[in-house]
Amino acid sequence: MNVSPLTHHDYTVGWICALPNPELVAALFMLDVEHPRLPRKQADTNNYTLGQIGQHNVAIACLPQGEYGLSSATNVASQMRMSFPNIQFGLMVGIAGGVPSLPDHDIRLGDVVVSKPGIGNGGVIQYDYGKALEGDVFESTGWLDAPPAIVRTAIGTLQARQMRWGNEFLKFLSVFDGNEIFKCPGPEHDNLHDAHDPTKVLSRPQRSENIVVHYGTIASGNALVKDAKKRDSLRAKHDILCFEMEAAGLMNSFPCAVIRGICDYSDTHKNKQWQPFAAATAAAYAKCLLGHIDPIKIDRPLGHGKSKSSAREAKA
């Protein structure tokens, strides 16, 4: 039986990352099968890696080198949807700066944060968009959509299974075994400093799990946050779990789940040591999530993937 070659119409999941290294690299490790490239659609400047993850055909794209922020993410997503018209939902997968809040949110480096709709938001807020009021008060405005229902129900299932059987996504980290770049730096290199005295390392209780998944609000904006006091102020105002720089540019035009691995604490001690491992944990969770979403059958148009002569025979 001859299988028709895949076309742009056969891809139903869009995976977007911001950094070629380590985010795109980690995404490539998650592919079960890589597919041949397809001709570029006119005006699409994205570069795609196509493949299969579980039962899903996935198109993976990364922001252009040197570009960050909301507008770049919006451009990548809009071009992806133009080239792959049957994409049903997206995944924004990568690294982020954590916003720990003991004892409520004991976020550690390497943990995963997944966007979850909360009171008054869809799971992602744009913290730097709003109105400047009297008294140096800034009020965030606007609404960002929640992930699609099919994704939210799968996330709920994963959250329940995590409570019953632990983090099933950890098995997908095995593909990084032996890779020194993506090796976990270890808890001895995970230090949370006091926001008011950066020289002081805070004491935290031991955890039974090395990697924890946190569900809640993600703060998105155009500025990189490296200020512990600002971090804590925004946490108190919005109950956020992490900072990143792309999701707010996607939520209203590219329905997606935001999955972030924590690589620093959004303070002056920010560095790149944990970035590869954090990218790996986020990518592994994304792959596990896809395994809990049933694939969508796409009906091919008559003659799709066939020669013109075979299409005419089908009509006869």
Side-chain angles (χ1 to χ4, degrees):
M1 177 180 174
N2 292 327
V3 179
S4 299
L6 295 174
T7 74
H8 292 84
H9 292 270
D10 292 303
Y11 291 85
T12 56
V13 177
W15 181 311
I16 295 178
C17 44
L19 301 172
N21 183 24
E23 295 177 351
L24 177 58
V25 179
L28 300 184
F29 269 98
M30 295 299 109
L31 288 175
D32 297 315
V33 179
E34 183 178 3
H35 294 161
R37 298 176 64 85
L38 291 172
R40 182 175 66 87
K41 294 293 185 77
Q42 188 175 10
D44 187 349
T45 59
N46 291 341
N47 191 287
Y48 298 102
T49 299
L50 307 176
Q52 185 174 333
I53 298 178
Q55 300 182 68
H56 297 273
N57 290 331
V58 181
I60 303 174
C62 185
L63 272 60
Q65 279 193 319
E67 292 189 19
Y68 310 97
L70 310 184
S71 60
S72 293
T74 301
N75 290 337
V76 169
S78 62
Q79 292 181 45
M80 176 182 280
R81 296 203 75 174
M82 176 186 67
S83 291
F84 300 90
N86 286 328
I87 283 181
Q88 304 296 306
F89 61 87
L91 301 173
M92 181 73 214
V93 187
I95 58 178
V99 184
S101 174
L102 298 173
D104 297 331
H105 303 297
D106 184 11
I107 296 174
R108 309 278 178 104
L109 301 185
D111 283 359
V112 177
V113 172
V114 181
S115 61
K116 177 183 177 181
I119 299 174
N121 68 72
V124 175
I125 63 163
Q126 186 175 347
Y127 67 89
D128 58 357
Y129 179 80
K131 298 183 292 186
L133 305 176
E134 290 185 21
D136 198 27
V137 174
F138 184 83
E139 179 183 311
S140 299
T141 60
W143 173 266
L144 299 175
D145 291 340
I150 190 172
V151 178
R152 283 184 279 123
T153 54
I155 290 174
T157 297
L158 268 188
Q159 191 172 7
R161 293 178 66 88
Q162 172 187 333
M163 296 177 68
R164 174 63 180 87
W165 291 294
N167 286 323
E168 297 175 304
F169 77 93
L170 297 178
K171 62 186 178 184
F172 296 118
L173 289 175
S174 62
V175 296
F176 298 102
D177 288 349
N179 189 309
E180 288 299 314
I181 294 176
F182 287 92
K183 182 180 179 181
C184 178
E188 65 274 15
H189 297 290
D190 181 0
N191 296 314
L192 174 61
H193 294 261
D194 188 282
H196 301 283
D197 182 3
T199 64
K200 179 182 178 182
V201 176
L202 298 178
S203 176
R204 292 177 289 179
Q206 287 190 333
R207 296 196 314 191
S208 57
E209 296 177 285
N210 291 327
I211 302 173
V212 174
V213 183
H214 308 268
Y215 300 88
T217 304
I218 292 176
S220 185
N222 279 304
L224 186 67
V225 177
K226 297 177 64 176
D227 184 331
K229 291 182 180 179
K230 181 178 181 179
R231 173 199 70 198
D232 291 350
S233 173
L234 288 168
R235 178 198 67 207
K237 185 176 181 179
H238 300 292
D239 193 26
I240 56 178
L241 300 181
C242 70
F243 290 101
E244 57 91 78
M245 297 176 61
E246 288 80 31
L250 301 177
M251 304 309 296
N252 289 349
S253 60
F254 186 74
C256 65
V258 184
I259 302 167
R260 295 293 187 177
I262 301 304
C263 63
D264 58 63
Y265 292 120
S266 306
D267 58 13
T268 55
H269 298 273
K270 179 186 289 285
N271 63 71
K272 297 183 178 181
Q273 183 179 22
W274 281 83
Q275 287 187 0
F277 184 71
T281 59
Y285 181 93
K287 179 169 184 173
C288 190
L289 177 63
L290 286 177
H292 288 274
I293 299 176
D294 293 330
I296 299 165
K297 184 179 184 300
I298 299 298
D299 293 326
R300 291 187 169 195
L302 188 63
H304 180 78
K306 301 177 180 179
S307 66
K308 292 183 179 180
S309 60
S310 61
R312 284 194 296 267
E313 291 171 4
K315 291 181 180 180

